[in-house]
Amino acid sequence: LAWTWKLMGRRQSASNRSIARVMGFFMVAILLVLPTISRRISQTFRCKMYDNEHKFLEMDLEIDCESSVYKFMRVYACLMVLCYPVGISVILFVWLYSFRKRLDPQSVSGQKSMTEEDV
């Protein structure tokens, strides 16, 4: 993404426009996949109590929530929460924010906005 930001700062040639188009498709693909990945990551934190003494992971009943395997999975899932649901959202926000002037041309933002007095 950093490489494309650098390219977007230059004048838009044909190759830069094609890179922008590919990045647009990339952003749409990420936004389509992000809910599924986020849900899968969050399932790591769901343990269910059985027989009032044993807690097992709901998505894989072979994993005991008190085991060292689960503790490792929980730490890994915490890191992945920072990467995917939080990190990807922040990266997309920063990327779109850097193009805010192109996304909101002067002809639109220069117009008087409608207020309650106009209604």
Side-chain angles (χ1 to χ4, degrees):
L1 282 171
W3 179 68
T4 57
W5 287 338
K6 187 175 181 180
L7 286 177
M8 293 303 170
R10 299 180 188 165
R11 288 182 90 190
Q12 287 223 339
S13 65
S15 64
N16 286 350
R17 277 182 265 147
S18 64
I19 290 172
R21 181 172 288 166
V22 168
M23 288 306 293
F25 289 130
F26 178 69
M27 182 172 35
V28 169
I30 285 178
L31 290 175
L32 290 174
V33 173
L34 187 63
T36 305
I37 292 173
S38 300
R39 182 172 182 261
R40 189 61 81 171
I41 292 170
S42 66
Q43 287 177 339
T44 305
F45 302 106
R46 297 174 73 189
C47 289
K48 189 171 183 180
M49 181 78 77
Y50 290 97
D51 297 332
N52 291 329
E53 57 187 49
H54 295 291
K55 290 172 75 175
F56 292 96
L57 190 61
E58 274 191 26
M59 63 187 259
D60 186 358
L61 294 175
E62 292 181 7
I63 298 177
D64 185 6
C65 289
E66 304 299 322
S67 69
S68 60
V69 171
Y70 175 72
K71 290 177 184 176
F72 172 77
M73 285 176 55
R74 192 174 57 204
V75 170
Y76 184 73
C78 289
L79 293 173
M80 290 301 106
V81 164
L82 293 175
C83 289
Y84 282 96
V86 176
I88 295 294
S89 300
V90 168
I91 287 171
L92 290 177
F93 171 78
V94 169
W95 189 50
L96 287 174
Y97 188 78
S98 69
F99 296 115
R100 68 187 178 281
K101 295 197 191 292
R102 291 184 196 167
L103 296 173
D104 184 22
Q106 291 293 349
S107 61
V108 175
S109 63
Q111 295 176 353
K112 182 182 174 186
S113 62
M114 183 180 264
T115 61
E116 292 180 5
E117 297 169 357
D118 295 335
V119 178

